[in-house]
Amino acid sequence: MRLTVGQAVVRFLANQWTERDGAEQRTIAGCLGIFGHGNVAGIGQALLQAQRTGEADLPYRLARNEQAMVHTAAGYARMKNRLSTLACTASIGPGSTNMLTGAALATVNRLPVLLLPSDVFATRAASPVLQELEDPRGYDVSVNDAFRPLSRFFDRIWRPEQLPSALLAAMRVLTDPAETGAVTLCLPQDVQAEAYDFPDALFAKRVWHVARPLAEPAFVARAAEVIREARRPLIIAGGGAVYSEASAELDQFARETGIPVADTQAGKGALSWDHPQSVGGVGSTGTPVANRLAREADVIIGVGTRYSDFTTASRTAFQHPSVKFVNINVASFDAHKESAYPVVADARAGLSELLAALDGRRFPDDFRADVALWQETVGRAYHLGHGPLPAQSEVIGAVNEVCGTRDVVVQAAGSMPGDLQLLWRAGDPKQYHVEYGYSCMGFEIAGALGIKLADPSREVYALVGDGSYLMMAQEIVTAVAEGIKLILVLVQNHGFASIGALSESLGSQRFGTSYQFRGAGQDYDGGRLPVDLAVNAESLGAAVIRCRTIADLRDGLKRARDSDRLTVVHIETDPLSPVPSSESWWDVPVPEVSSLRSTRAARETYDAAKRDQRQYL
């Protein structure tokens, strides 16, 4: 079949399918892109031809920012439990390098995304082409080499003959839950337009089976022995418990053993917040109940978690002198963390195998009264009555109480991820979508777009602070153009609330964290900037509802829910409002010496907390 490389890429992607448990879906459900001289006549022409002639079914959507479109693909992939994703095409130079941050986010979070950055001329006929980086060390280097450390698979297609093997390798990685992340295929702009006689078999429907690997019996036996000998074990449910759709198995495991279940940011919702064994988030932004249980636990059972520093409270969360770890994870890399007894398996399969091996062992569940008291604290935080501006915890409470169980909350950066893990009551495995592996400012709106594309039946609420909004709000335009409804809760507190609080706790006096005019000295201590983000959102095509009070907010959220168009619900909050303590710690180093008294005091506190830090061997 004689096709250009661009046409072959589009036709191939349109025929790739993923299957797990007998259910098939498109591996690449569509393509997001922004065209420039590097891809307009290659991939761009191929997408146009496919759309006009029906030769291939690969829907195209015009994005507004290249980083944002990768976030959209990541949100889509997460909502689809990593069984389906989107491709992203960008032009040479800045168009492609704009995708680097999105690539890092996808790989850190173990989410499949396919990146198709345009590249220099393979023939070098026009070198140096516009936006080409000239490297005196070699003519085969381009800016796209920056994708190599950020990608789980990387290739550059110098000749059409190389395309089939590269495409098949890309699909292998995208559909492997243990290896997945960003996959990058660089496409030189002249090669995209070059024709070649590709084998027909390349474009036949291909179904990639996503297995549920079973654990080695010896691994299960060793892990079960460790758990049976425990006195106070704790389960930590991570993203793998959600991606493997293991909620029923986790529920059965927890009920039959009596072991409490804490969760990570990616694992929240694996068990409903009101499940009798659920104790909430663990770690630096976890609940006091979960963190107390973590300190006392002699065995930690990690289910699909990668043990980020927030989950381990920078290795201070687990204080039992002889604590042991049992990790169920499809990735051997993660299963072996913390010198664990590894159960390398799909989370759903691993839980079932491990439960059978425990022979009915049951543990005391004396934590439920503490959970009930904690939920009373959450209720008070939701209805704090703070003034004159409301507290952020009240905004979270209003959204949580207006949300239906199947609705989705989206967040990524600032103070809200911590407050959400601490306070949010998730009732569904797909309700809570907080990107906290890369914690990328600007993810919220673009990620929400991907989530809505993945499941249009759900209402999607993106909680976005003014800092993140100013980083990346362009995909409002994309959603409006596509007729995609989102509810954006824009929380304005005139600065970086999270880093402001962190700065203060580290003795840096909130320096450089507020949106104000520069004052008479060197500090930004003048009046507030006259920025009106609600007007900005309206100019991008959104409907806007301004709120002053929490009562206004509840009414605005209901109106937004009843609307059929993208709506921004805007409210100002007090960045200094209180939030309950997690009774935990996060390691952010403080200077050892300083002329500032505030920094010296913070260093004393840091040194005291550092003494609890340990390696788990």
Side-chain angles (χ1 to χ4, degrees):
M1 188 179 296
R2 190 161 184 80
L3 300 169
T4 68
V5 166
Q7 292 159 6
V9 168
V10 169
R11 187 169 294 215
F12 174 87
L13 295 180
N15 285 290
Q16 305 307 300
W17 293 75
T18 307
E19 176 271 322
R20 186 171 71 181
D21 302 332
E24 291 185 7
Q25 56 188 300
R26 296 279 296 276
T27 308
I28 307 296
C31 183
L32 297 160
I34 298 176
F35 297 131
H37 68 278
N39 62 347
V40 66
I43 292 290
Q45 186 278 338
L47 289 165
L48 167 67
Q49 182 171 311
Q51 181 173 300
R52 294 291 171 86
T53 66
E55 294 173 356
D57 181 15
L58 192 70
Y60 166 74
R61 289 184 172 88
L62 170 62
R64 268 67 188 178
N65 178 282
E66 291 91 353
Q67 180 190 142
M69 68 188 182
V70 186
H71 295 335
T72 297
Y76 186 98
R78 179 168 172 174
M79 200 64 186
K80 289 288 189 178
N81 288 329
R82 306 193 294 197
L83 299 173
S84 182
T85 189
L86 302 170
C88 300
T89 176
S91 188
I92 182 175
S96 289
T97 55
N98 279 350
M99 297 196 294
L100 288 167
T101 296
L105 180 144
T107 296
V108 165
N109 285 284
R110 320 293 204 261
L111 294 170
V113 298
L114 176 60
L115 308 181
L116 304 172
S118 301
D119 218 315
V120 298
F121 276 67
T123 61
R124 303 175 187 167
S127 293
V129 70
L130 176 65
Q131 298 174 328
E132 177 180 347
L133 170 74
E134 290 187 277
D135 191 325
R137 294 170 298 178
Y139 292 123
D140 63 340
V141 177
S142 84
V143 293
N144 287 345
D145 286 278
F147 283 100
R148 289 183 183 272
L150 306 179
S151 304
R152 296 309 304 256
F153 179 80
F154 174 97
D155 200 5
R156 182 179 281 113
I157 315 303
W158 290 114
R159 291 188 56 80
E161 297 95 313
Q162 298 171 340
L163 184 64
S165 61
L167 289 172
L168 293 170
M171 289 301 112
R172 175 187 62 79
V173 175
L174 288 170
T175 58
D176 184 340
E179 293 294 324
T180 199
V183 168
T184 303
L185 297 181
C186 302
L187 300 171
Q189 53 187 303
D190 54 344
V191 175
Q192 289 182 47
E194 188 174 341
Y196 182 75
D197 293 320
F198 291 98
D200 291 349
L202 182 64
F203 308 113
K205 179 179 177 180
R206 188 180 298 268
V207 180
W208 299 83
H209 174 66
V210 179
R212 292 192 180 277
L214 302 178
E216 283 283 336
F219 282 167
V220 175
R222 291 171 61 199
E225 182 181 356
V226 170
I227 296 171
R228 280 196 299 269
E229 293 175 355
R231 296 180 63 84
R232 299 193 68 85
L234 173 68
I235 296 169
I236 297 179
V242 175
Y243 300 143
S244 67
E245 301 170 349
S247 289
E249 287 71 20
L250 182 60
D251 168 74
Q252 183 183 8
F253 191 101
R255 288 183 188 273
E256 293 191 15
T257 62
I259 302 175
V261 179
D263 49 50
T264 69
Q265 288 280 15
K268 185 174 284 294
L271 282 189
S272 177
W273 72 275
D274 56 357
H275 189 283
Q277 303 306 118
S278 177
V279 296
V282 69
S284 299
T285 53
T287 71
V289 179
N291 284 329
R292 175 180 64 79
L293 292 171
R295 285 190 293 271
E296 298 171 354
D298 54 353
V299 173
I300 302 296
I301 306 168
V303 182
T305 179
R306 65 188 187 93
Y307 289 107
S308 76
D309 67 332
F310 263 68
T311 298
T312 69
S314 300
R315 297 183 184 272
T316 65
F318 315 117
Q319 287 297 315
H320 192 282
S322 58
V323 63
K324 297 181 176 67
F325 293 81
V326 170
N327 292 338
I328 303 172
N329 205 296
V330 72
S332 176
F333 176 75
D334 291 316
H336 282 82
K337 285 181 176 176
E338 315 302 349
S339 302
Y341 293 85
V343 178
V344 181
D346 168 80
R348 180 197 281 187
L351 282 166
S352 296
E353 292 176 283
L354 193 54
L355 179 61
L358 288 177
D359 296 329
R361 178 76 162 93
R362 186 169 178 84
F363 300 88
D365 51 6
D366 54 358
F367 50 83
R368 293 181 181 173
D370 290 342
V371 173
L373 287 173
W374 168 247
Q375 287 302 330
E376 291 179 11
T377 301
V378 174
R380 287 193 293 272
Y382 278 10
H383 303 277
L384 199 59
H386 187 76
L389 292 175
Q392 185 164 275
S393 66
E394 295 175 280
V395 173
I396 291 171
V399 176
N400 203 171
E401 290 170 354
V402 169
C403 268
T405 302
R406 296 189 73 258
D407 297 344
V408 186
V409 63
V410 187
Q411 231 287 308
S415 58
M416 278 190 278
D419 291 356
L420 283 162
Q421 191 187 18
L422 186 69
L423 301 172
W424 187 268
R425 294 164 168 167
D428 181 87
K430 306 309 294 183
Q431 186 189 63
Y432 185 87
H433 188 124
V434 173
E435 188 286 297
Y436 215 51
Y438 209 48
S439 187
C440 185
M441 294 180 71
F443 172 86
E444 293 88 348
I445 297 172
L449 175 59
I451 292 164
K452 187 71 172 183
L453 288 170
D455 190 347
S457 71
R458 295 178 186 251
E459 295 286 355
V460 179
Y461 296 77
L463 285 169
V464 57
D466 43 2
S468 275
Y469 183 92
L470 287 168
M471 289 277 185
M472 193 171 297
Q474 300 96 314
E475 298 318 296
I476 289 177
V477 180
T478 302
V480 169
E482 298 287 342
I484 295 170
K485 179 194 172 184
L486 302 172
I487 300 173
L488 311 180
V489 183
L490 177 50
V491 179
Q492 186 157 351
N493 48 41
H494 301 280
F496 300 117
S498 172
I499 297 303
L502 180 64
S503 170
E504 187 170 44
S505 72
L506 301 178
S508 295
Q509 303 174 22
R510 295 182 178 263
F511 177 71
T513 63
S514 62
Y515 292 157
Q516 294 175 262
F517 288 102
R518 185 179 293 279
Q522 294 300 309
D523 293 345
Y524 292 102
D525 56 2
R528 282 186 174 176
L529 297 175
V531 175
D532 192 330
L533 299 182
V535 170
N536 177 265
E538 195 168 38
S539 76
L540 298 179
V544 173
I545 301 173
R546 292 179 182 266
C547 306
R548 294 180 57 84
T549 67
I550 294 299
D552 292 343
L553 177 63
R554 291 178 188 277
D555 178 68
L557 290 170
K558 291 174 183 175
R559 289 165 55 195
R561 186 182 180 87
D562 291 340
S563 175
D564 61 358
R565 59 177 296 199
L566 188 149
T567 303
V568 171
V569 183
H570 176 275
I571 188 167
E572 293 198 26
T573 60
D574 180 357
L576 304 178
S577 59
V579 67
S581 172
S582 67
E583 299 179 10
S584 191
W585 183 67
W586 183 38
D587 189 347
V588 179
V590 181
E592 285 192 76
V593 296
S594 174
S595 59
L596 299 177
R597 182 181 301 175
S598 60
T599 306
R600 294 197 300 271
R603 180 68 196 198
E604 291 179 8
T605 302
Y606 177 79
D607 287 338
K610 190 83 170 170
R611 286 193 284 271
D612 288 332
Q613 202 168 41
R614 56 184 290 199
Q615 297 291 323
Y616 301 114
L617 296 174

